[in-house]
Each structure stands twice: as C-alpha cells, then as structure tokens.
Amino acid sequence: MASPAREPQALGDYLLVEQLGEGGMAEVFRAQYIGRGSGPVGAVVVKRIRSELSSQPEFPIFRDMFLNEARLVRRLSHPNLARVFELLEADDPITGVRVPFIVGEYVQGRDLWTLMRTATAGFSGRGVPPALAAFIIREVAAGLGHAH
C-alpha cells in the first residue's frame, strides 16, 4: 500500500522518503531526520495536512482540527498506539505555506490491509481465521479503549 514519494521532499528537518497513506485531510510518510541537531535516529512517521488543502478557504479549520488531534494524541502512551515525538511547523515544499506536522514512531511490519489480504487468500471469499480476527479485534480495542 505504500508508494514512493514523487521526489523525496524535505519538510523542516525531515526528508519524506515514502508515502504510507493518505486520507481526506492528511497524508503520512516514512521519513528520516536530516537536521543538524540531535533528532530521532532511524525512520519516523511524518503526518501533515495535504498540500492542496492550503489554498482552500477552509484551511484554517483543517489546521485547527489537525492541531487539536496532535495535542490529544501526543498525551497518549499505550503499547498498541504509536508514540508521537513532536508537533512542529515548517514551510510546505510544494506551496510555501507554513503547515503543522506530527513526527511519530515508525512501526515496521505489515499493515492491516496486507495482513487481511494474506489471511483471506487475496479476498477470495475465504474468511479470516477466527483466532486471528479475535486477536486483531482485542488489540485494536485495547488501543482504542486507552485513547477514549
């Protein structure tokens, strides 16, 4: 599901290496710290507001929503939730508009989509094994329970 970034772009002190996902308001990248100070070693995740939204009249609302999410998630600590390291701002390399972004823990492994495709033999109609389904639901519920 991951796709290489068109051309690796810098956002602040981070190089956006590979796009991992995209939603209605934000996009998530595997990134690498390239700053001169003491930053995280190894891969991290950078989540930012999608560049094309910066020209929309609703951008201030998107920005506020993003900042509220970041502040809430930053306070959470649970084994089933990726850690948030920093909430930063930088000029978007595409638009030049100052945007907030979240730097978080990169959890290496298969994403749920890939796991589900494997477990169901390529969505062939074969169901997910009950033990696997129960495990996934239990772990997701534990993380969600902590968040709420």
Side-chain angles (χ1 to χ4, degrees):
M1 191 120 157
S3 61
R6 291 169 193 93
E7 288 180 29
Q9 300 171 343
L11 182 62
D13 287 338
Y14 293 88
L15 182 66
L16 308 180
V17 177
E18 173 186 30
Q19 186 175 22
L20 300 175
E22 183 174 11
M25 185 177 79
E27 52 192 351
V28 179
F29 293 87
R30 182 173 55 85
Q32 184 72 44
Y33 179 75
I34 55 172
R36 297 183 191 269
S38 59
V41 176
V44 293
V45 167
V46 167
K47 181 177 182 179
R48 72 173 184 191
I49 298 173
R50 291 181 24 222
S51 295
E52 62 269 18
L53 296 180
S54 65
S55 62
Q56 300 295 318
E58 299 88 357
F59 181 72
I61 296 168
F62 296 142
R63 180 184 169 79
D64 287 345
M65 290 170 56
F66 187 87
L67 290 170
N68 287 337
E69 173 192 337
R71 289 183 191 118
L72 289 170
V73 172
R74 206 171 163 187
R75 294 185 222 160
L76 300 175
S77 177
H78 188 274
N80 294 9
L81 300 174
R83 292 176 294 169
V84 171
F85 300 133
E86 296 185 281
L87 171 59
L88 301 169
E89 282 192 283
D91 292 337
D92 185 295
I94 297 171
T95 64
V97 173
R98 194 137 183 94
V99 294
F101 65 98
I102 299 168
V103 179
E105 176 184 18
Y106 174 72
V107 180
Q108 190 169 353
R110 293 187 178 172
D111 59 44
L112 183 57
W113 179 260
T114 302
L115 180 63
M116 296 300 290
R117 192 174 60 236
T118 302
T120 60
F123 300 114
S124 63
R126 185 174 107 195
V128 175
L132 177 60
F135 173 78
I136 292 169
I137 291 168
R138 183 188 73 206
E139 296 302 307
V140 169
L144 284 172
H146 179 77
H148 292 279

